[in-house]
Amino acid sequence: MEDAGGILTSKYKQSFKIMEKRELCPDTFFYAIEAPFIAKKLEAGQFVIVRPNDNGERIPLSICGWDSDKGIINVIIMSAGRTSGEINAMNVGDCLADVVGPLGERSHVEKTDGTAVVIGGGYGTGAVLPTALDHKKLGNKIVGIVGARSENLLLMVDELKAACDDVLLTTNDGSIGIEGFVTHALQKLIDDGVKVTSVLAVGPVPMMMAVCKMTEPLSIKTWVSLNAIMVDGTGMCGACRVSVGGETKFACFHGPDFDGHKVNFDELIKRQKMFVEKEKEALEAVSK
Ligand SMILES: Cc1cc2nc3c(=O)[nH]c(=O)nc-3n(C[C@H](O)[C@H](O)[C@H](O)COP(=O)(O)OP(=O)(O)OC[C@H]3O[C@@H](n4cnc5c(N)ncnc54)[C@H](O)[C@@H]3O)c2cc1C
Ligand code: FES
């Protein structure tokens, strides 16, 4: 079979080599992965589905950056269970079995005379980065808010500072920035008279819910990225169905970003818990 600079190992098989790996905080790593066809087409807010090895499961991962010329995509992976742990055990030079993408719709970004806010928690801080850069390209004023339990768990702060006009940090224990949650930082912006016209929040479901609860009475357009259970990522299997504005949507195909004021979060939480026992079994099986 023809080989294009070591990237194509057969007509359809690519190498998806890990080119860089960096620990950002305990159990959380930044990766640069060779994926030239995906890197050419990516847009802010999209994601990929990754399978680490031939026997592995597929997991969705947000894209936190890419270089179309070098054919590289960047992801951040937090060890949550079997598959994320398997990838985080891989090293530079190792190859992932499959990386499928780009998947999902691009983030919703439009010109505003106010301030756009992006809020990240955990891997979500990387996920909001491309959207922050899109706001900047449009000439919008953009403020980033990053939250974590403690200073050592904050991710991608320097990268977000480079993309935003200002970045506010929040920690639950007050070790740096505002003591409390990302909503406290958002409240501070509003109290300081900043005209917030849109919010994108990506992170744990309780965080996205809290942001939506705060912005709804203020009529601030709020987008959330739904981390629903996904299997194929193309709208075929139905695993990622979510209720938005009373309609059934597929998070992989219609999202992952949705109008947070219309999302049925209670249903999302219920569906996320559907496979807890199986996930425990899978982790135990590979830990033996
Ligand atoms: C659009 C999207 C983007 C995401 N981006 C990132 C990212 O950039 N970095 C990151 O670390 N994580 C990301 N996640 C979450 C990540 O996909 C899950 O942590 C991962 O699937 C866990 O799999 P596991 O086998 O390691 O753990 P498991 O033990 O299988 O599960 C641990 C937790 O992850 C959730 N989960 C399990 N399988 C899936 C699945 N196929 N799809 C969605 N959630 C699942 C479960 O609800 C469970 O709470 C994203 C999820 C979605 C839907
Ligand atoms: S993951 Fe299968 S329809 Fe969305």
Side-chain angles (χ1 to χ4, degrees):
M1 280 289 173
E2 194 183 333
D3 185 275
I7 290 164
L8 288 175
T9 50
S10 75
K11 191 168 177 194
Y12 299 109
K13 183 83 182 156
Q14 297 176 59
S15 66
F16 304 119
K17 191 190 277 183
I18 297 174
M19 309 301 287
E20 185 189 341
K21 176 181 181 180
R22 238 176 330 119
E23 187 169 26
L24 300 175
C25 66
D27 295 326
T28 303
F29 295 86
F30 167 93
Y31 292 92
I33 298 164
E34 196 174 55
F37 299 133
I38 297 174
K40 266 199 179 62
K41 297 208 158 175
L42 269 167
E43 295 188 286
Q46 292 189 297
F47 67 97
V48 288
I49 285 197
V50 174
R51 195 169 61 117
N53 52 58
D54 288 342
N55 299 318
E57 289 182 349
R58 304 148 54 85
I59 62 164
L61 297 169
S62 305
I63 296 290
C64 64
W66 63 93
D67 183 326
S68 328
D69 296 333
K70 291 187 179 150
I72 297 290
I73 62 170
N74 302 130
V75 293
I76 293 172
I77 307 182
M78 298 179 78
S79 295
R82 174 185 164 172
T83 310
S84 47
E86 276 175 350
I87 303 175
N88 281 347
M90 296 173 83
N91 286 306
V92 170
D94 291 341
C95 292
L96 297 155
D98 307 307
V99 181
V100 178
L103 300 170
E105 289 288 320
R106 60 167 302 141
S107 294
H108 304 261
V109 173
E110 53 189 40
K111 181 82 185 128
T112 174
D113 61 350
T115 296
V117 175
V118 293
I119 304 180
Y123 70 80
T125 313
V128 300
L129 201 52
T131 308
L133 289 166
D134 270 6
H135 276 292
K136 194 153 203 183
K137 270 187 226 149
L138 271 185
N140 290 340
K141 184 150 198 287
I142 170 89
V143 174
I145 299 176
V146 188
R149 286 197 307 282
S150 193
E151 181 178 4
N152 69 324
L153 300 175
L154 287 167
L155 314 177
M156 306 296 280
V157 173
D158 290 341
E159 289 82 350
L160 202 61
K161 279 185 177 164
C164 295
D165 295 292
D166 196 9
V167 171
L168 303 179
L169 307 180
T170 69
T171 47
N172 300 11
D173 63 4
S175 46
I176 193 170
I178 298 167
E179 182 171 346
F181 301 105
V182 290
T183 40
H184 292 120
L186 185 58
Q187 188 63 57
K188 182 180 178 329
L189 280 181
I190 292 162
D191 292 347
D192 288 349
V194 174
K195 184 181 157 196
V196 178
T197 45
S198 78
V199 172
L200 167 68
V202 187
V205 173
M207 178 273 254
M208 296 191 286
M209 279 173 80
V211 169
C212 291
K213 202 169 157 200
M214 195 186 144
T215 55
E216 191 166 13
L218 302 171
S219 300
I220 297 172
K221 189 80 189 167
T222 302
W223 299 100
V224 291
S225 179
L226 296 188
N227 43 359
I229 296 283
M230 289 188 184
V231 179
D232 69 314
T234 61
M236 306 282 279
C237 71
C240 69
R241 65 182 183 273
V242 289
S243 294
V244 182
E247 286 178 41
T248 296
K249 300 277 180 190
F250 295 144
C252 68
F253 182 73
H254 301 108
D257 296 355
F258 291 97
D259 180 338
H261 300 152
K262 294 185 177 164
V263 169
N264 183 335
F265 282 107
D266 293 336
E267 188 193 87
L268 177 72
I269 292 170
K270 234 186 256 164
R271 286 186 57 81
Q272 276 183 328
K273 289 185 183 151
M274 270 169 50
F275 301 105
V276 168
E277 279 310 310
K278 292 261 177 265
E279 286 158 4
K280 233 169 82 189
E281 280 170 27
L283 185 60
E284 281 165 8
V286 288
S287 309
K288 274 182 192 156

